[in-house]
């Protein structure tokens, strides 16, 4: 249901009823401050209220009530997933509904995390720090980024953010893309196959969406094609990497280090080999974290609210057939 509401800018907005599919008072406050045209109700509201819902804001995970919610919202026009990916979201249930997500909102912090891992690897941090007098001062065997080759699997918002930062360090940047096109980031070289990419790179970053096609994309056969001493970084989804195949390559040192922010399963159970392997740098799926990150993810939705209201194209549209 839409009704006009007068605003301080003396123009009329159309009130849209939004169903919020989670409990988050802070997000409700941000929505009320930034989108007064939204009438916010909870997804558990009575059916008489939900029947006029036009927009649904939901997390990717925890949408187990989606079938019931869609049935209760016959006038629903648009679903926004408050996350940067939809691999945990039941797309098969939404039919022809428009679905968007906050794609790209976490690209900057994730790219910074990737560069931090690369720098730690090359500069041997924290191992090169000292807490007592060393055997010798002024002597080290540290690496550098200048002249090294970075390989990117995935060249969306995250891949492009990583590329820009790597180029500033005078790295060579290669990206594997599905179809050849002009690179949106000057200085990045596109390749069309893993066979072209893998033998050339010193640091390999997985930054592409998890789809059925991409599951197990990097396994034993692909790792065998990489340079000895490669540094593998996964900030996308654990399903892209065959963890069991990775172990012997870590044990032999062929993969010198694996910086993993995503693993399978999550949470990883106590005693798992990934916790204790000396060549694994493990973090608990936090590469996205940054000051104000919730506001940044919500900002994509708010921008889309303004676009939706005037009939403009929405950002972050999900391709249901492709799965992202």
């Amino acid at each position: 249901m839409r009704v006009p509401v007068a605003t301080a800018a003396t123009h009329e907005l159309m009130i849209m009823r939004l169903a919020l599919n989670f409990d988050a008072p802070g997000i409700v406050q941000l929505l009320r401050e930034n989108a007064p045209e939204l009438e916010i109700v909870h997804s558990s509201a009575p059916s008489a209220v939900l029947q006029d819902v036009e927009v649904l804001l939901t997390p990717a995970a925890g949408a187990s009530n989606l079938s019931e919610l869609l049935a209760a919202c016959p006038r629903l026009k648009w679903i926004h997933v408050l996350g940067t990916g939809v691999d945990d979201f039941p797309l098969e249930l939404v039919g022809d509904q428009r679905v968007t997500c906050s794609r790209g909102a976490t690209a900057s912090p994730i790219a910074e995390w990737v560069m931090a891992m690369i720098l730690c690897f090359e500069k041997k941090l924290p191992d090169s720090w000292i807490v007592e007098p060393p055997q010798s001062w002024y002597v080290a065997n540290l690496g550098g980024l200048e002249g090294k080759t970075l390989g990117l699997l995935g060249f969306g918002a995250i891949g492009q953010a990583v590329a820009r930062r790597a180029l500033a360090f005078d790295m060579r940047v290669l990206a594997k893309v599905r179809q050849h096109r002009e690179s949106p980031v000057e200085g990045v070289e596109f390749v069309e196959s893993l066979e072209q990419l893998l033998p050339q790179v010193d640091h390999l970053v997985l930054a592409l969406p998890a789809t059925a096609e991409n599951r197990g994309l990097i396994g034993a056969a692909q790792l065998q094609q990489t340079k000895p001493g490669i540094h593998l970084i996964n900030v996308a989804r654990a399903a892209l990497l065959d963890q069991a195949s990775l172990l012997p390559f870590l044990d032999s040192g062929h993969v010198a280090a694996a910086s993993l922010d995503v693993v399978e399963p999550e949470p990883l159970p106590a005693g798992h080999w990934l916790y204790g392997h000396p060549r694994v740098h493990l973090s608990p799926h936090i590469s996205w974290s940054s000051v104000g990150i919730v506001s940044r993810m919500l900002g994509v939705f708010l921008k889309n609210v303004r676009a939706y209201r005037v009939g403009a194209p929405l950002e972050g549209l999900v391709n249901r057939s492709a799965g992202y």
Side-chain angles (χ1 to χ4, degrees):
M1 177 179 66
R2 294 189 178 194
V3 296
V5 56
T7 70
T10 70
H11 64 278
E12 288 187 336
L13 297 179
M14 300 303 291
I15 289 294
M16 299 185 296
R17 185 167 288 174
L18 164 73
L20 199 65
N21 198 24
F22 50 86
D23 296 308
I27 287 180
V28 171
Q29 183 62 30
L30 286 170
L31 288 171
R32 286 176 174 159
E33 291 173 357
N34 292 279
E37 67 269 39
L38 293 177
E39 179 190 357
I40 303 168
V41 300
H42 194 270
S43 59
S44 61
S47 57
V49 174
L50 293 178
Q51 68 178 353
D52 287 324
V53 163
E54 196 165 344
V55 185
L56 172 65
L57 184 60
T58 182
S64 57
N65 63 337
L66 189 63
S67 292
E68 295 81 2
L69 193 50
L70 291 174
C73 302
R75 294 182 176 88
L76 187 68
K77 303 288 180 56
W78 164 37
I79 301 170
H80 185 86
V81 178
L82 193 61
T84 57
V86 293
D87 45 297
D88 291 328
F89 185 76
L91 282 174
E92 68 279 2
L93 300 180
V94 303
D96 294 330
Q97 288 286 354
R98 275 188 295 183
V99 180
T100 58
C101 67
S102 297
R103 186 182 301 134
T106 58
S108 289
I110 291 177
E112 291 171 359
W113 188 92
V114 168
M115 296 310 298
M117 295 303 102
I118 292 174
L119 285 164
C120 284
F121 175 82
E122 294 288 357
K123 301 305 178 184
K124 296 182 170 55
L125 297 174
D127 294 340
S128 59
W129 293 340
I130 59 174
V131 294
E132 60 184 7
Q135 289 185 337
S136 60
W137 290 84
Y138 318 119
V139 177
N141 185 27
L142 304 182
L145 277 62
E146 183 179 3
K148 294 291 176 66
T149 299
L150 172 71
L152 291 166
L153 291 184
F155 205 62
I158 293 171
Q160 292 176 38
V162 173
R164 288 192 297 269
R165 288 157 176 79
L167 289 167
F169 279 94
D170 295 321
M171 299 185 77
R172 180 189 180 206
V173 180
L174 305 179
K176 192 269 182 188
V177 293
R178 295 173 65 185
Q179 293 182 331
H180 184 73
R181 62 186 190 276
E182 287 295 320
S183 172
V185 179
E186 185 178 355
V188 175
E189 304 170 49
F190 281 174
V191 298
E192 296 184 16
S193 70
L194 284 175
E195 291 75 18
Q196 289 175 275
L197 179 76
L198 295 176
Q200 300 189 63
V201 302
D202 302 291
H203 301 267
L204 177 64
V205 179
L206 309 188
L208 69 169
T211 63
E213 179 185 2
N214 290 335
R215 173 169 284 275
L217 181 67
I218 300 298
Q222 291 73 35
L223 292 170
Q224 189 64 53
Q225 297 175 52
T226 60
K227 278 185 180 181
I230 193 173
H231 176 205
L232 175 66
I233 305 167
N234 192 0
V235 289
R237 291 292 185 264
L240 302 170
L241 174 66
D242 184 343
Q243 288 176 182
S245 295
L246 175 63
L247 180 56
F249 287 89
L250 289 166
D251 287 343
S252 70
H254 182 94
V255 174
S259 297
L260 306 177
D261 188 51
V262 288
V263 292
E264 205 168 38
E266 288 183 2
L268 199 65
H272 195 282
W273 66 265
L274 283 170
Y275 283 120
H277 200 287
R279 298 185 188 276
V280 173
H281 307 150
L282 188 63
S283 60
H285 207 148
I286 57 171
S287 64
W288 56 269
S289 179
S290 181
V291 174
I293 196 63
V294 174
S295 294
R296 292 178 66 169
M297 284 198 289
L298 194 62
V300 178
F301 172 68
L302 290 170
K303 186 175 180 180
N304 273 345
V305 167
R306 294 188 287 273
Y308 176 82
R309 190 161 53 86
V310 298
L314 304 183
E315 293 187 4
L317 276 171
V318 173
N319 183 326
R320 288 187 295 276
S321 60
Y324 63 91

